[in-house]
Amino acid sequence: MSWIEHLSPAQQFVLFSTLKVLCVIVVLLPTIAYSVMAERRVSAAIQDRVGPNRVGPFGLLQPLADGLKFILKEDFTPAHVRKVFFWIAPAIAMVPAFMTMAVIPFGSTLGAQKMVIADLNVGILYTFGIVSLGVYGIILAGYASNSKYPFLGAIRSTAQMISYEIAMGLSVIPVFLYVGDLNLGQVISYQSNHGWLVLYAPVSFVIFLVAAFAETNRLPFDLPECETELVAGYHTEYSSMKFALFFLGEYANMIAVSAMMVTLFFGGWTLPFWGLDQPATGILGGFLHIGIFMGKMLMFMLMFIWVRWMLPRFRYDQLMDLGWRRFVPLGLVNIVATAIFLWMRA
């Protein structure tokens, strides 16, 4: 396009970054909506019952009906809540999950453009910094609800997310000992030349995977919102779109951690055969790499859904014991063992 060539480098950067952001949002929101529908259908199949199948062919318009329901329901704010914090908490819980996607390389190149919104040299540090902000939305929701069950759920969630965030952070250090770079694009490039890092750091992957379940408050680690004890935990008092924002945040977090696992351990957009382990040379190859990344990510999403309906909930003392007395020491030992191995190999 000749008019693009006449733009300054700064203007081209702003233009293409805006287009990438819009494309990611356009893909992310339907993915969240249909992840909810997939969860309902998978749970129905596991429990030998019929899932949502009435709205549209094969029930494919069910997410649209659910969205309209959230929009049209009364947005009720109880009189006893702390209103300002009550209103801003859902947004604070949702926004970090979307911001995390900014540094995920969801493809190699498309034309001359890298398929990442922000190609940061400290991508993983940015990710952990942003993810840690989500806990503020949850604790604000529990505090602002001015009710015992939401507050107890918020306290549980805060302790749980802080505990497993430490284990998750320790689990990725061996990955960067192998790669020698904090840039997520370089992590994928390393795997394209040396093989997927899940083969080199399987302990790191297991720790990261379990910590991902805890960070997203998914079974068997859904203690902050377990219905049998806390009604609905920190979002008990929420309704309409405020509740929908918490819902969007949970599934967006699932997508974000799935994308991180694909990037860190499963080669991102690469496949170790058919020549699909090198950057794309054309538009078709660029879209193919994006499809490969999405396929891997959706497999992890399916695993999140399957585990929820197959495993029982942990007790809270078991959850904290696993995080502090098992995974934190194991993560430290894993770092030392990886460092010794790389030193001996050098």
Side-chain angles (χ1 to χ4, degrees):
M1 297 182 185
S2 58
W3 63 272
I4 293 180
E5 296 173 356
H6 289 90
L7 298 176
S8 68
Q11 291 173 327
Q12 291 186 24
F13 174 78
V14 171
L15 173 64
F16 287 114
S17 296
T18 303
L19 288 175
K20 291 176 190 177
V21 170
L22 292 176
C23 289
V24 168
I25 292 175
V26 166
V27 172
L28 186 61
L29 291 178
T31 303
I32 292 172
Y34 279 94
S35 295
V36 178
M37 179 186 169
E39 175 144 14
R40 295 174 68 181
R41 295 298 292 267
V42 170
S43 67
I46 291 173
Q47 297 172 353
D48 195 21
R49 59 182 175 83
V50 177
N53 64 351
R54 298 291 183 180
V55 186
F58 308 105
L60 292 177
L61 298 182
Q62 185 66 46
L64 179 61
D66 292 338
L68 288 174
K69 178 190 73 173
F70 279 124
I71 293 171
L72 297 176
K73 285 183 69 174
E74 180 185 4
D75 188 6
F76 180 74
T77 301
H80 63 273
V81 303
R82 299 172 174 88
K83 290 184 173 56
V84 175
F85 298 131
F86 188 81
W87 290 334
I88 66 175
I92 295 176
M94 181 198 70
V95 169
F98 283 75
M99 292 177 65
T100 304
M101 301 303 296
V103 296
I104 303 294
F106 49 88
S108 55
T109 57
L110 199 61
Q113 293 296 317
K114 290 183 178 179
M115 288 296 96
V116 58
I117 296 172
D119 191 22
L120 301 181
N121 290 330
V122 289
I124 190 64
L125 297 182
Y126 166 89
T127 301
F128 278 92
I130 293 298
V131 167
S132 64
L133 297 178
V135 72
Y136 291 104
I138 292 174
I139 193 66
L140 273 179
Y143 166 77
S145 295
N146 205 17
S147 178
K148 293 179 180 178
Y149 284 134
F151 188 65
L152 182 56
I155 294 296
R156 281 186 173 187
S157 182
T158 304
Q160 174 176 319
M161 292 177 75
I162 291 173
S163 302
Y164 280 86
E165 197 168 313
I166 294 172
M168 181 179 282
L170 293 174
S171 71
V172 302
I173 293 176
V175 170
F176 298 107
L177 288 177
Y178 277 108
V179 178
D181 200 310
L182 293 174
N183 183 284
L184 293 176
Q186 293 301 317
V187 174
I188 295 179
S189 296
Y190 179 90
Q191 293 177 87
S192 69
N193 296 318
H194 299 88
W196 292 355
L197 280 167
V198 68
L199 303 175
Y200 298 95
V203 176
S204 292
F205 169 66
V206 171
I207 296 175
F208 193 100
L209 176 63
V210 177
F213 278 94
E215 286 285 295
T216 53
N217 294 330
R218 297 282 298 183
L219 266 166
F221 301 106
D222 71 332
L223 276 300
E225 53 186 79
C226 55
E227 297 85 355
T228 52
E229 298 177 28
L230 303 179
V231 186
Y234 54 86
H235 47 59
T236 298
E237 303 289 349
Y238 283 90
S239 61
S240 187
M241 281 306 296
K242 293 190 184 72
F243 175 78
L245 290 180
F246 280 115
F247 213 59
L248 286 172
E250 177 181 333
Y251 281 85
N253 275 319
M254 288 167 56
I255 292 172
V257 296
S258 296
M260 284 297 296
M261 285 188 282
V262 171
T263 300
L264 294 173
F265 299 103
F266 286 87
W269 43 262
T270 69
L271 281 179
F273 41 85
W274 298 330
L276 295 174
D277 55 354
Q278 298 300 324
T281 56
I283 298 295
L284 183 59
F287 280 115
L288 182 59
H289 283 165
I290 295 173
I292 291 169
F293 185 91
M294 291 288 293
K296 293 179 182 178
M297 188 181 73
L298 292 177
M299 291 298 294
F300 277 108
M301 289 292 293
L302 184 61
M303 183 189 64
F304 271 99
I305 293 170
W306 179 83
V307 168
R308 175 178 179 180
W309 300 100
M310 295 299 288
L311 297 181
R313 182 180 295 125
F314 277 59
R315 291 199 320 263
Y316 198 75
D317 62 312
Q318 292 173 328
L319 178 145
M320 298 303 286
D321 180 85
L322 180 66
W324 285 105
R325 299 181 61 187
R326 301 295 190 275
F327 279 171
V328 170
L330 181 60
L332 292 170
V333 170
N334 187 36
I335 293 170
V336 173
T338 303
I340 292 173
F341 171 74
L342 291 174
W343 173 70
M344 295 177 64
R345 194 180 69 172

